[in-house]
Amino acid sequence: MASIGHEVIGIDVDLDKIDALSRGEAPFYEPGLPEILVEGVASGRLRFSADISDAAGAQVHFLAVGTPQQPGGYAADLTFVDAAVDALIPHLAPGDVLAGKSTVPVGTAVGIAERIRSTGATLVWNPEFLREGWAVQDTITPDRLVVGIPKDAGGERAAGILREVYHPAVAAETPFIVTDYATAELVKVAANAFLATKISFINAMAEIAEVTGADVTQLADAIGHDSRIGRRYLGSGIGFGGGCLPKDIRAFSARAEELGRGESIAFLREMDAINLRRRARAVRLTIDALDGVYEKNITVLGAAFKPHSDDVRDSPALDVAIHLRGFGANVTVTDPAAIPNARRLHPQLTYVEDRDEALRDADAILIVTEWDEYRRQLSPEHASSLTDGRVIIDGRNCLDAAAWRDAGWRYFGMGRP
Ligand code: UDX
């Protein structure tokens, strides 16, 4: 927002984060963010504060707190949303716009609008579609902008203010969809549900490929050429994880149940189950390839839930690593960005920063996060110089199987012969 000319103040309750951000340091790994952050802070247009009263005087307030999965349930935990709204209410003024970006169960916005009514501010729902690793690009040049507005006159006015806020994207004729609250809330969860379904669909095909000898990656290429289907998000392997897709499909199921329409999206539970089975499949492949993993040295390449991120929330990579350790393997994990976060979550695993050191004497190598360091920059010849083990499990179907086999390795993919 600062980089496109706005005066911005970022507010959080976490003092350490506020201090780091004020120094121009991003508290997580996100390509392109450090540069834009330093620039914003240096320009004076971007400031940070832990004091919510500093929100007073702003015309637009973005609500962007997390909505994690509830402990012990599938529904979204709205504690942070509620706390942020309560804290902000005394500082809202008539004519202000409160723009909700958090991913919430459909029906949440209408309740927040009611709570802020007496302030004279207008609530709009403006879901966020950014991907980690591409966050800067997705924010500045989004595929579309969606704004859910109330039916009264304030709604159109607020939508107009958001058009001004997003002026570069609007000038570039980015689709700008003005709708009601419920649709805006649903667009977000529907988009994530669709993406999760697409990934689980191809992974279901991988399960069929495994019993028929077919190659799921060629299958994905072939169906992906059909422009109605498209190749993106048909990447097969150990499936989806992260802070969004898994919890969003679960929260969506929970909300649909509450609405008496659980059956409409009952298939999402199946998508979740397919997804989790693929993690177990990678573990099983490894056990079978090594004829048992007890006391075997296994190197796991990747800890982040996907490349270009240090996020390990619900990471399929770490899940596989933990299970192999549970079967008695000596598991060594490496990752270019996610080791500090992984270590905090699973201190019982062994972490090695240097890829080659991690690979030394491995009985089997698993690639579970497709960083370029592993998929492009690790040749089978080089791996052969580091270990006598000759087993490679490609949990992301991202390697050239023939090249590894030609170099004397036993290659195992996920749904490819
Ligand atoms: C997702 C949505 O893409 C984004 O629009 C939304 O705002 C937040 O949730 P993100 O969680 O950053 O973004 O990750 P994404 O790139 O979508 O990947 C999610 C998971 O799916 C990762 O674990 C990734 O490895 C996996 N994936 C993705 C596949 O297994 N196969 C694919 O083809 C694509």
Side-chain angles (χ1 to χ4, degrees):
M1 287 296 151
S3 78
I4 58 173
H6 301 298
E7 290 282 330
V8 181
I9 181 143
I11 297 181
D12 200 287
V13 294
D14 184 332
L15 278 171
D16 291 339
K17 273 189 193 158
I18 292 300
D19 286 346
L21 287 162
S22 302
R23 291 192 302 270
E25 291 166 19
F28 48 81
Y29 176 92
E30 182 61 48
L33 185 63
E35 296 80 353
I36 211 170
L37 181 61
V38 165
E39 195 186 297
V41 171
S43 72
R45 284 199 303 277
L46 179 57
R47 291 174 301 126
F48 296 92
S49 167
D51 182 355
I52 189 81
S53 68
D54 286 334
Q59 251 189 302
V60 182
H61 307 263
F62 283 106
L63 175 65
V65 294
T67 51
Q69 189 175 329
Q70 268 178 12
Y74 269 12
D77 178 353
L78 295 179
T79 314
F80 304 122
V81 170
D82 290 337
V85 170
D86 286 341
L88 186 60
I89 283 175
H91 310 292
L92 290 174
D96 284 5
V97 175
L98 173 56
K101 293 202 88 59
S102 304
T103 301
V104 292
V106 55
T108 304
V110 75
I112 298 176
E114 197 47 50
R115 276 159 65 194
I116 69 164
R117 184 179 303 281
S118 61
T119 66
T122 300
L123 178 77
V124 298
W125 211 260
N126 174 217
E128 181 52 62
F129 305 102
L130 67 81
R131 295 159 298 166
E132 292 183 27
W134 309 93
V136 174
Q137 175 190 318
D138 286 354
T139 304
I140 294 175
T141 52
D143 290 340
R144 77 301 212 181
L145 289 157
V146 176
V147 183
I149 60 170
K151 290 190 177 60
D152 55 55
E156 286 297 341
R157 179 185 162 273
I161 292 174
L162 277 207
R163 276 183 212 276
E164 289 170 28
V165 166
Y166 292 112
H167 62 96
V170 170
E173 295 186 10
T174 304
F176 192 99
I177 296 150
V178 178
T179 182
D180 53 83
Y181 288 152
T183 306
E185 291 167 317
L186 268 176
V187 170
K188 171 65 194 244
V189 284
N192 276 356
F194 192 87
L195 295 172
T197 301
K198 209 170 169 189
I199 297 167
S200 278
F201 176 85
I202 202 63
N203 283 329
M205 296 305 107
E207 293 187 335
I208 304 297
E210 271 152 17
V211 291
T212 54
D215 182 333
V216 73
T217 58
Q218 287 190 322
L219 173 74
D221 291 343
I223 63 171
H225 283 303
D226 185 329
S227 58
R228 293 170 303 173
I229 297 174
R231 180 66 171 80
R232 295 177 74 190
Y233 280 77
L234 288 180
S236 52
I238 58 167
F240 59 81
C244 292
L245 298 193
K247 67 109 177 151
D248 285 355
I249 61 170
R250 290 171 194 158
F252 194 13
S253 296
R255 184 65 182 136
E257 291 285 348
E258 283 170 12
L259 294 166
R261 284 288 181 277
E263 64 188 354
S264 304
I265 53 168
F267 70 92
L268 287 181
R269 294 191 185 250
E270 205 55 52
M271 299 304 131
D272 202 4
I274 294 166
N275 193 52
L276 297 176
R277 281 206 298 272
R278 299 315 286 165
R279 302 178 183 188
R281 168 72 185 169
V283 174
R284 177 47 54 193
L285 263 180
T286 314
I287 293 171
D288 290 348
L290 291 179
D291 206 7
V293 293
Y294 190 73
E295 289 189 339
K296 301 272 172 62
N297 296 332
I298 296 179
T299 299
V300 173
L301 297 177
F305 83 107
K306 67 170 190 181
H308 314 290
S309 172
D310 66 353
D311 196 341
V312 296
R313 285 176 295 169
D314 201 352
S315 166
L318 274 185
D319 206 10
V320 168
I322 284 291
H323 277 91
L324 286 169
R325 187 175 185 278
F327 282 106
N330 301 320
V331 179
T332 301
V333 179
T334 187
D335 190 286
I339 290 181
N341 285 342
R343 186 178 276 129
R344 260 193 296 280
L345 199 63
H346 294 301
Q348 70 275 41
L349 291 170
T350 303
Y351 297 96
V352 173
E353 298 269 349
D354 183 75
R355 182 199 70 188
D356 286 2
E357 198 189 315
L359 287 173
R360 220 168 278 287
D361 300 327
D363 295 311
I365 302 173
L366 268 87
I367 169 159
V368 280
T369 313
E370 67 278 32
W371 288 95
D372 276 351
E373 284 84 340
Y374 313 141
R375 70 186 297 186
R376 293 189 203 285
Q377 295 156 21
L378 176 65
S379 68
E381 292 73 24
H382 184 65
S384 301
S385 74
L386 298 167
T387 174
D388 293 333
R390 289 288 180 272
V391 172
I392 179 104
I393 316 276
D394 185 359
R396 292 293 181 179
N397 286 344
C398 61
L399 299 176
D400 179 348
W404 283 82
R405 289 194 175 119
D406 288 350
W409 286 71
R410 291 165 63 215
Y411 169 95
F412 301 89
M414 304 282 298
R416 64 198 299 211

